[in-house]
Amino acid sequence: MAGRMRADGTGSLAMMRLRRGPARTSATPASGAPALDIRGLGKWFGAFKALDGVDLTVARGERLVICGPSGSGKSTLIRTVNALESFEEGEIHVDGIRLTREPKTVEAVRQRVGMVFQQFNLFPHLTVLENCALPLRLVRGLAAGEARERALHYLAKVRIPEQADKFASQLSGGQQQRVAIARAVAMEPDIMLFDEPTSALDPEMVKEVLDTMVQLAVEGMTMAVVTHEMGFARQVADRVIFMDHGKIIEQAPPAQFFSDPREERTRAFLQQVLRAD
Amino acid sequence: MHFADNVDHPALLGRPIVFLPGLALLFELLRWSNVGATAIGRGLTDMLALSGLSPSADNLVVAGVATAFVGFNLAVVMRLKLRWQVYIVWLELAVLLLVFFYSFNLSFDFIRRKIGFLLSQGLVMTLYISVVSIAIASVLALIGAMAKLSSNGVALGIANFYTSLFRGIPLLMQIYMIYLGLPQLGYVVNAVPAGIAALSLCYGAYMTEIFRAGIESIPKGQWEASRALGLKPGSTMLRIILPQAMRVIIPPTGNQFIAMLKDSSLVSVVGVWELMYLARTQGQTEFRHIEMMVTASMIYWLFSILLELIQARIERYYGRAHAR
């Protein structure tokens, strides 16, 4: 039904990315490579080591939740993936493309990686529709009509097509974040990064954003989500990662992670965050 | 009103106990300062056909009229809607200004004879210089702002030196330096290009700072979101950052445009036939300097008002995303 929206001739999101389904049919350079492959990643902020020897592989279609205390390096980790942060040690491969500081690889990686920010970062001078359509025109080279149609399609998916002509400041926080998700997903990335997407929201708006993310997960999107929403982790994550002091301390499927954490630090952290759950 | 404090301030001037003594004081002050003998006072008594009485009677009449005028504003105008208050006060002040000019005993016949040339040569030249200089200054400012925000030390050094030098030297001196200095290097420039160059460079330096501050006022998250979506640095600047920065840039830039319109009069020192130059020289022949100065001033003012209106429109356009 949404097939006509696709300029590149691939199927709709739902058809293309079945749960645990095969990789997308459109050719990517190294289609056998994992969506994300990080080896020995190290990053310094001055004398402070923010990331310390992080190894992480995310398979296509996998949903990863990253948690940990503040300052543990979880946001920094996903921000290095699309080069919003630099790194000093190790390697990052996205879809088999090695991320260097060269414009070419950075652009190539950013075209495959979508990102949702804690502060939404919608463009306030553009309408909701233009927020989604402008990058499609400038980056994907779509004609104005096509971009508009695809933007509306994805706005419908996050259930706010009727707000298309409003400015971001006229929307609630939850609506703004859903627009931000639509804007990123409309670029049809291979992997979506979420940097604490619900942390800046009023409590009653958290659910609508999480529901949108669950829907995205069900459709098979590869996701790496930094969040404190442990309910979300339980519901959709294939794997939960706990970070502290720039290191991955523990990783396990959610059932095991929540019921039987191995590390003392994980247990202490879970006690803190689950109290509110 | 941007911030309506939810307090009903008692109108101080609306209370008889305040404004009656106030008016009495004003009346006495005017009488004491011999207001009947001033040009405006004489004009007023002439108009009322009450001239020729004793000086103290003149004082009484003029002070009475002025006090009644102020009293009318306090009693009537201040009770109107805000909008009408503004209109009426504008009108009153404009009339006062005209009365002030009228007291110069201007020869309107002389003005009528000269105004055609003042407009067709002087105004046209002033607008030409201003518009071209504003356009060049805007481009310089954009380049300067980019350089100041870049991590290129050479660009940064040039931009810093440029803004420091051209903001630090009087504009008049810059005009002389370009007009008289460049020929020393072997480049003879005409007066008009020299004036345009000086105005562009000087205003470009000021506007560089305005543009830089405007661009820096946009949160880092806007850059990150744009770059993360895959937009190139150039597109990010042109499509995402600058349109938002415009909201911050426009008001001070409008100021600069208005100042430029009037500072273009400085190029008259190198003999450009713009409004100020003509106003000075045309009056000389018949010793009617004041006529020409007043006329030129009014022309400058009218075009400043025009720029203010344009600025308001542009501000509304770039602020539309923030209107609720």
Side-chain angles (χ1 to χ4, degrees):
Chain A
M1 126 222 131
R4 69 198 157 83
M5 308 291 181
R6 298 309 185 96
D8 56 10
T10 56
S12 77
L13 246 185
M15 294 189 314
M16 185 181 68
R17 298 196 180 94
L18 294 171
R19 198 174 154 77
R20 304 246 141 236
R24 59 192 291 184
T25 46
S26 63
T28 44
S31 50
L36 176 61
D37 192 16
I38 297 175
R39 274 180 231 145
L41 190 67
K43 173 175 179 63
W44 298 82
F45 284 119
F48 174 71
K49 190 143 202 194
L51 294 174
D52 189 0
V54 173
D55 293 302
L56 179 65
T57 303
V58 182
R60 274 163 210 283
E62 187 175 6
R63 275 90 50 155
L64 189 72
V65 163
I66 305 168
C67 60
S70 80
S72 60
K74 50 198 193 308
S75 283
T76 308
L77 174 63
I78 65 166
R79 284 166 57 86
T80 52
V81 170
N82 63 355
L84 290 182
E85 301 284 355
S86 61
F87 56 93
E88 284 80 38
E89 299 159 3
E91 287 181 17
I92 296 178
H93 296 261
V94 175
D95 278 343
I97 303 165
R98 182 170 169 199
L99 178 64
T100 67
R101 294 181 70 110
E102 298 205 358
K104 237 171 127 184
T105 69
V106 172
E107 304 294 346
V109 163
R110 282 177 177 163
Q111 295 214 6
R112 287 169 169 75
V113 177
M115 183 142 192
V116 172
F117 299 86
Q118 183 177 351
Q119 299 295 343
F120 329 138
N121 291 347
L122 291 184
F123 305 135
H125 62 302
L126 301 177
T127 63
V128 163
L129 180 66
E130 289 165 345
N131 259 278
C132 301
L134 184 72
L136 288 172
R137 287 200 291 138
L138 295 182
V139 179
R140 292 283 187 245
L142 262 55
E146 260 180 297
R148 197 188 131 80
E149 216 174 312
R150 204 202 280 192
L152 279 173
H153 168 67
Y154 282 98
L155 283 173
K157 282 184 83 89
V158 299
R159 301 180 310 281
I160 26 183
E162 71 282 358
Q163 316 275 12
D165 292 322
K166 288 194 180 168
F167 288 105
S169 60
Q170 294 164 310
L171 303 186
S172 73
Q175 290 173 324
Q176 289 190 46
Q177 192 61 300
R178 284 188 281 148
V179 172
I181 293 173
R183 179 176 70 176
V185 176
M187 302 297 285
E188 297 176 353
D190 291 332
I191 176 168
M192 281 288 297
L193 308 175
F194 293 82
D195 189 2
E196 304 204 24
T198 58
S199 299
L201 293 174
D202 287 334
E204 77 270 23
M205 291 167 183
V206 169
K207 186 174 178 299
E208 62 185 72
V209 170
L210 288 181
D211 285 347
T212 307
M213 291 166 61
V214 169
Q215 180 195 339
L216 203 59
V218 168
E219 287 170 358
M221 175 64 81
T222 311
M223 294 163 73
V225 184
V226 172
T227 187
H228 298 298
E229 295 292 335
M230 292 300 125
F232 174 81
R234 267 206 195 97
Q235 190 185 349
V236 299
D238 297 307
R239 185 160 42 127
V240 182
I241 284 182
F242 175 72
M243 285 185 73
D244 198 11
H245 297 300
K247 285 192 182 113
I248 293 178
I249 302 296
E250 179 159 4
Q251 46 182 317
Q256 186 191 332
F257 183 85
F258 289 112
S259 60
D260 184 22
R262 225 166 289 152
E263 301 289 327
E264 184 51 42
R265 261 187 285 181
T266 315
R267 234 171 278 153
F269 175 75
L270 284 176
Q271 261 172 16
Q272 290 297 319
V273 294
L274 290 182
R275 204 186 300 163
D277 248 17
Chain B
M1 191 80 69
H2 293 287
F3 176 70
D5 204 352
N6 294 317
V7 178
D8 280 329
H9 289 288
L12 197 61
L13 286 170
R15 290 195 224 157
I17 196 160
V18 177
F19 77 74
L20 286 180
L23 288 177
L25 187 69
L26 178 71
F27 181 77
E28 277 311 309
L29 262 176
L30 286 172
R31 237 160 52 97
W32 174 75
S33 63
N34 228 354
V35 75
T38 61
I40 292 178
R42 263 183 282 122
L44 196 65
T45 47
D46 279 349
M47 244 190 319
L48 297 172
L50 285 171
S51 58
L53 302 171
S54 68
S56 64
D58 282 351
N59 281 343
L60 213 64
V61 168
V62 176
V65 170
T67 309
F69 180 65
V70 174
F72 164 77
N73 272 289
L74 291 179
V76 181
V77 177
M78 277 178 64
R79 293 179 202 285
L80 298 175
K81 287 213 172 101
L82 181 85
R83 205 179 161 71
W84 285 102
Q85 288 184 29
V86 174
Y87 289 151
I88 290 178
V89 169
W90 246 85
L91 195 71
E92 286 173 357
L93 291 174
V95 168
L96 278 181
L97 186 70
L98 284 181
V99 171
F100 177 56
F101 288 153
Y102 188 77
S103 72
F104 297 166
N105 211 359
L106 301 174
S107 159
F108 290 101
D109 178 55
F110 182 76
I111 293 177
R112 211 170 302 124
R113 258 189 293 138
K114 293 290 184 185
I115 195 162
F117 188 52
L118 231 50
L119 291 175
S120 65
Q121 168 65 40
L123 177 64
V124 167
M125 180 56 87
T126 289
L127 288 181
Y128 168 70
I129 292 174
S130 301
V131 169
V132 173
S133 304
I134 283 168
I136 299 175
S138 302
V139 174
L140 284 177
L142 195 54
I143 296 171
M146 302 286 184
K148 281 213 156 184
L149 294 170
S150 81
S151 46
N152 181 333
V154 175
L156 191 60
I158 294 174
N160 272 335
F161 186 82
Y162 163 61
T163 52
S164 171
L165 181 71
F166 282 90
R167 288 200 300 173
I169 296 180
L171 177 54
L172 192 58
M173 222 58 82
Q174 294 174 30
I175 295 170
Y176 279 132
M177 274 187 195
I178 291 174
Y179 186 60
L180 304 174
L182 282 188
Q184 301 295 319
L185 292 177
Y187 299 102
V188 177
V189 269
N190 288 326
V192 173
I196 288 176
L199 282 169
S200 307
L201 285 167
C202 181
Y203 276 80
Y206 282 106
M207 282 163 62
T208 292
E209 291 301 311
I210 295 174
F211 277 48
R212 180 191 57 76
I215 291 168
E216 276 185 336
S217 74
I218 304 306
K220 199 170 125 234
Q222 293 290 310
W223 284 94
E224 289 185 349
S226 177
R227 297 289 286 133
L229 281 162
L231 271 72
K232 299 242 160 47
S235 314
T236 300
M237 182 55 97
L238 277 179
R239 308 300 292 267
I240 306 298
I241 304 300
L242 271 183
Q244 295 183 53
M246 285 312 247
R247 224 169 72 81
V248 185
I249 290 173
I250 290 294
T253 301
N255 253 351
Q256 295 290 306
F257 282 14
I258 289 169
M260 161 90 85
L261 183 71
K262 289 166 294 135
D263 272 357
S264 69
S265 62
L266 284 174
V267 303
S268 64
V269 297
V270 290
V272 177
W273 282 28
E274 48 70 73
L275 195 49
M276 191 67 179
Y277 182 85
L278 291 187
R280 253 186 342 180
T281 51
Q282 292 295 303
Q284 257 159 12
T285 50
E286 299 181 30
F287 296 105
R288 294 252 175 229
H289 294 99
I290 296 286
E291 274 82 352
M292 289 294 94
M293 291 300 164
V294 168
T295 310
S297 301
M298 287 298 103
I299 295 172
Y300 278 119
W301 189 25
L302 279 179
F303 275 83
S304 298
I305 291 175
L306 189 68
L307 283 178
E308 282 170 16
L309 293 176
I310 293 171
Q311 179 192 338
R313 273 197 88 102
I314 299 176
E315 268 183 51
R316 226 173 305 141
Y317 173 80
Y318 281 107
R320 73 200 189 287
H322 295 262
R324 279 228 158 199

